[in-house]
């Protein structure tokens, strides 16, 4: 699997919140890579994962993993999800409520191999919880169970649909390590959906940037995000939540992705293009930022 | 030789048990289909299944009786091929009560299946498991309250059914005279003590069954998404 090339060339008509769009994805991935699909919600990231897993059918195109064809609309080939050797981690984790942690992981196996289940539980620090039902677990623990379960089948392809979006802060950081671990376990090609830049920089070998159903950029995170932006010293992105008029200027309140609240001043000519809810970048040009360990 | 009272109750229990078992076998795949398929004429099927809830039993009873008649194709087919005549027989009221109790089995099961997040089914598929395995290992264990409700409601409703049994089966001791019919019969004959005996028994059985349903549902009334 390591050296297999994954060829994706698919199209699908979608009706999204922004109206109709055609998802057109053409890309080749190398086996063993950890690729992050980055883009706004509604860009088609999840649909792409679902098409790779066989849960959603493309309208036309080809999907090839190594020598094995998973989907080919011209040849009428469409392998069901059961026959594609994948591991899928859902946004809501989709753990089976009727099964214990151990049984959730064991369920994913083709042949019952208790040793491997125990090995996975141990790697994700879940041994103590092995008899618990999912409703007695925290969000972070559920995510680890979902990762372990997805690996139980020794998949060639690990698909993660925003696995961290329901968590916050420190847990998020520590679970990013778990994802790296999951990727390392049998070096499955890993595709992770995210709209969090921290995640991209920490995890990705390669980033696929998707916008309105097409790939708008591809490359290493540094190449993609650091080169072509304003040469500011500090850049923070966020959304405007409030615009207040002061005497001669306006005071904007911006909430960043990390839930930090910033007050920014703006003048009449800036404000004309801005309204509440807009996504903006706050940057400084003239000052070099100071750094302090927390 | 059991007394007529015991005989009638046994017959009633046999009818309810067989009906429930048959409906479990028929109702599970049917509920699965209604819950998940994208069949274009599904509303038509759903309406058919639910008809017994709104129609008077006599209407359905009448049509079933007509269908059993050797003058029409279904009855003639049974008569000629299997030498079976269903009208006024135990098998006849069994089939009628299967038809009549169908919504009591199918509706709770369908609602139960619909309440399970799609991602649970999909997760099972991505783990390499077939639809059948998914159904028995993932879906069924997670709709236990619906399953218990469906079984208890079907059973209880079957014990309580009167009109359709009278239409299709009449009042033959040991064959079609179930408890609800017996009550009517005893009242007609002014045997109020016997009628009361039956009535109280039915009352208690139904009460216990419904209490059971509500106890089970109270324990697991919140579906927690994982």
């Amino acid at each position: 699997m390591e050296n297999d090339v994954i060829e994706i060339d698919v199209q699908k008509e979608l009706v999204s919140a922004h109206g109709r769009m055609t998802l057109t994805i053409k890309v080749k991935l190398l086996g063993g890579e950890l690729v992050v699909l980055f883009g706004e919600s509604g860009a088609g990231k999840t649909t792409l994962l679902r098409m790779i897993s066989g849960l959603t059918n493309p309208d036309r195109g080809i999907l090839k993993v190594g020598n094995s064809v998973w989907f080919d609309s011209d040849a009428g080939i469409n392998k069901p999800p059961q026959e594609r050797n994948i591991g899928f981690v859902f946004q809501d984790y989709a753990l089976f409520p009727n099964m214990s942690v151990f049984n959730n992981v064991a369920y994913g196996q083709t042949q019952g191999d208790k040793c491997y289940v125990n090995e996975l539980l141990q790697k994700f620090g879940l041994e103590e919880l092995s008899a618990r039902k999912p409703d007695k677990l925290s969000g972070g623990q559920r995510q680890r169970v979902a990762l372990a379960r997805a690996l139980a089948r020794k998949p060639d392809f690990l698909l993660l649909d925003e696995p961290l979006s329901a968590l916050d802060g420190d847990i998020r950081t520590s679970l990013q390590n778990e994802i790296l671990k999951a990727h390392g376990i049998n070096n499955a090609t890993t595709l992770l959906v995210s709209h969090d830049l921290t995640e991209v920089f920490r995890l990705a070998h390669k980033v696929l940037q998707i916008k309105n159903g097409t790939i708008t950029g591809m490359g290493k995170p540094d190449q993609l995000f650091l080169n072509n932006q304003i040469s500011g010293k500090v850049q923070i992105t966020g959304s405007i939540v409030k615009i207040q008029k002061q005497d001669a200027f306006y005071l904007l309140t911006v909430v960043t992705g990390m839930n930090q609240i910033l007050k920014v001043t703006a003048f009449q000519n800036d404000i004309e293009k801005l309204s509440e809810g807009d996504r903006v970048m706050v940057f400084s040009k003239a000052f070099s930022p100071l750094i302090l360990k927390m | 030789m059991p007394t007529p009272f015991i005989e009638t109750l046994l017959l009633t229990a046999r009818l309810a048990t067989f009906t429930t078992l048959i409906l479990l076998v028929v109702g599970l795949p049917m509920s699965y289909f209604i819950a998940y398929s994208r069949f274009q004429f599904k509303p038509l099927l759903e309406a058919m299944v639910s008809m017994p809830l709104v129609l008077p039993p006599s209407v359905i009873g009448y049509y079933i009786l007509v269908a059993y008649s050797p003058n029409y194709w279904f009855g003639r087919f049974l008569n000629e091929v299997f030498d079976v005549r269903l009208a006024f027989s135990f098998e006849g009221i069994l089939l009628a009560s299967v038809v009549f109790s169908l919504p009591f089995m199918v509706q709770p099961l369908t609602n139960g299946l619909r309440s399970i997040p799609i991602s649970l089914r999909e997760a099972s598929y991505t783990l390499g498991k077939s639809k059948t395995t998914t159904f028995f290992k993932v879906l069924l264990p997670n709709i236990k309250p619906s399953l218990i409700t469906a079984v208890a409601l079907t059973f209880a409703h079957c014990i309580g059914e009167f009109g359709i049994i009278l239409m299709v089966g009449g009042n033959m001791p040991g064959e079609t005279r179930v408890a609800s019919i017996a009550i009517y019969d005893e009242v007609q004959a002014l045997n109020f003590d016997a009628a009361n005996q039956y009535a109280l028994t039915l009352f208690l059985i139904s009460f216990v069954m419904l209490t059971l349903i509500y106890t089970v549902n109270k324990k697991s009334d919140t579906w927690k998404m994982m």
Side-chain angles (χ1 to χ4, degrees):
Chain A
M1 184 64 212
E2 186 100 351
N3 299 312
D4 283 347
V5 174
I6 293 144
E7 206 183 314
I8 301 167
D9 180 3
V10 288
Q11 289 184 340
K12 185 171 181 68
E13 293 279 331
L14 293 179
V15 184
S16 73
H18 317 297
R20 285 189 168 279
M21 69 172 188
T22 311
L23 183 63
T24 313
I25 303 288
K26 188 170 179 173
V27 68
K28 274 186 184 167
L29 306 174
L30 295 176
E33 278 186 318
L34 201 165
V35 181
V36 173
L37 288 175
F38 180 79
E40 286 172 16
S41 52
K45 304 181 304 278
T46 298
T47 310
L48 177 59
L49 279 203
R50 293 178 59 86
M51 290 196 294
I52 294 171
S53 64
L55 294 172
T56 299
N57 291 331
D59 293 341
R60 59 201 158 267
I62 287 187
L63 192 73
K64 251 172 87 177
V65 177
N67 291 323
S68 142
V69 179
W70 284 6
F71 182 85
D72 185 342
S73 53
D74 290 339
I77 298 172
N78 184 10
K79 280 196 182 181
Q82 287 90 341
E83 288 171 31
R84 306 182 183 198
N85 193 13
I86 48 165
F88 201 114
V89 175
F90 290 80
Q91 209 169 349
D92 62 4
Y93 308 138
L95 300 180
F96 306 125
N98 57 314
M99 299 181 202
S100 66
V101 167
F102 184 92
N103 287 336
N104 260 286
V105 178
Y107 185 82
Q109 293 193 307
T110 327
Q111 289 128 2
D113 178 0
K114 274 192 176 178
C115 292
Y116 190 59
V117 175
N118 284 323
E119 194 185 320
L120 284 171
L121 291 182
Q122 187 215 335
K123 276 190 176 140
F124 289 99
L126 294 164
E127 301 140 296
E128 308 271 297
L129 308 171
S130 95
R132 281 209 204 163
K133 293 278 176 68
D135 62 348
K136 299 278 185 297
L137 300 177
S138 72
Q141 291 166 337
R142 282 180 201 171
Q143 195 252 12
R144 271 144 55 198
V145 178
L147 277 174
R149 186 180 67 180
L151 290 170
R153 205 182 165 190
K154 298 187 179 159
D156 298 327
F157 220 143
L158 188 57
L159 304 163
L160 310 167
D161 188 8
E162 303 202 30
L164 302 176
S165 63
L167 308 165
D168 44 34
D170 295 342
I171 305 180
R172 235 182 135 115
T173 319
S174 80
L175 286 170
Q176 286 166 358
N177 295 331
E178 303 290 337
I179 289 174
L180 285 174
K181 201 190 282 174
H183 172 249
I185 282 180
N186 50 2
N187 239 359
T189 312
T190 303
L191 212 52
L192 173 99
V193 168
S194 174
H195 49 229
D196 183 288
L197 269 178
T198 333
E199 250 164 69
V200 172
F201 275 90
R202 285 214 57 204
L203 301 175
H205 295 161
K206 194 196 251 175
V207 189
L208 281 184
Q209 197 169 20
I210 299 187
K211 202 170 182 185
N212 292 329
T214 47
I215 297 178
T216 52
M218 184 162 91
K220 293 205 161 104
D222 307 6
Q223 294 169 344
L224 207 59
F225 295 108
L226 295 185
N227 284 349
N228 54 1
Q229 294 182 359
I230 310 163
S231 61
K233 299 273 167 54
V234 176
Q235 294 173 3
I236 297 163
T237 54
S239 315
I240 301 179
V241 292
K242 204 173 182 186
I243 300 179
Q244 287 164 290
K245 189 169 169 27
Q246 305 289 347
D247 298 334
F249 58 93
Y250 290 82
L251 190 63
L252 310 187
T253 311
V254 175
V255 176
T256 72
M258 308 300 283
N259 271 339
Q260 202 176 3
I261 301 165
L262 303 174
K263 297 271 186 194
V264 185
T265 51
F267 295 100
Q268 182 67 37
N269 53 345
D270 296 322
I271 211 78
E272 276 163 7
K273 285 174 277 172
L274 298 173
S275 56
E276 286 179 11
D278 281 355
R279 276 191 72 75
V280 289
M281 178 190 287
V282 180
F283 64 95
S284 85
K285 268 205 236 169
F287 303 100
S288 180
L290 303 171
I291 200 154
L292 193 68
K293 187 177 161 61
M294 288 166 73
Chain B
M1 188 66 197
T3 63
F5 177 71
I6 297 293
E7 187 187 35
T8 302
L9 283 190
L10 283 178
L11 182 74
T12 311
R14 192 149 60 104
L15 178 68
T17 310
F18 285 170
T19 304
T20 310
L21 288 177
I22 293 172
L23 274 178
L24 257 183
V25 177
V26 177
L28 278 172
M30 200 180 246
S31 311
Y32 185 90
F33 182 80
I34 290 177
Y36 300 139
S37 92
R38 290 190 207 141
F39 175 56
Q40 198 186 344
F41 298 107
K42 204 164 74 175
L44 213 63
L45 177 70
E46 286 189 78
M48 288 289 285
V49 170
S50 301
M51 284 300 262
L53 290 178
V54 291
L55 278 180
S58 46
V59 172
I60 303 209
Y62 170 71
Y63 282 122
I64 290 178
L65 200 56
V66 169
Y68 286 175
S69 150
N71 295 330
Y72 295 92
W73 70 266
F74 181 68
R76 188 160 51 220
F77 167 79
L78 288 176
N79 192 12
E80 283 169 8
V81 179
F82 299 107
D83 194 24
V84 166
R85 282 155 299 274
L86 285 178
F88 307 108
S89 72
F90 178 74
E91 290 74 16
I93 57 169
L94 179 59
L95 185 61
S97 88
V98 164
V99 171
F100 202 70
S101 299
L102 193 61
F104 294 90
M105 181 63 81
V106 170
Q107 283 194 349
L109 290 179
T110 307
N111 291 338
L113 288 171
R114 278 187 182 145
S115 75
I116 295 183
I118 297 177
S119 61
L120 284 195
R121 268 188 296 151
E122 294 185 333
S124 177
Y125 300 160
T126 63
L127 293 166
K129 298 296 183 277
S130 68
K131 288 190 173 175
T132 320
T133 310
T134 305
F135 182 73
F136 286 108
K137 294 271 174 69
V138 175
L139 300 180
L140 215 47
N142 285 316
I143 57 160
K144 239 185 243 162
S146 307
L147 194 64
I148 293 170
T149 306
V151 167
L153 269 184
T154 306
F155 193 87
H157 176 255
C158 213
I159 287 179
E161 182 40 37
F162 172 73
I164 204 161
I165 308 281
L166 193 63
M167 290 286 287
V168 176
N171 178 19
M172 295 156 70
E175 184 73 22
T176 63
R177 181 197 274 184
V178 293
S180 57
I181 308 272
I183 297 172
Y184 180 73
D185 195 51
E186 299 294 0
V187 172
Q188 292 286 305
L190 303 177
N191 293 331
F192 293 120
D193 282 349
N196 189 37
Q197 209 179 359
Y198 284 117
L200 193 63
T201 313
L202 287 197
F203 182 90
L204 288 175
I205 291 174
S206 305
F207 185 67
V208 168
M209 298 219 70
L210 290 179
T211 311
L212 172 83
I213 295 177
Y214 287 116
T215 314
V216 168
N217 284 354
K218 196 184 160 208
K219 268 189 197 154
S220 49
D221 57 353
T222 44
W223 169 264
K224 288 188 204 104
M225 250 202 28
M226 291 310 128

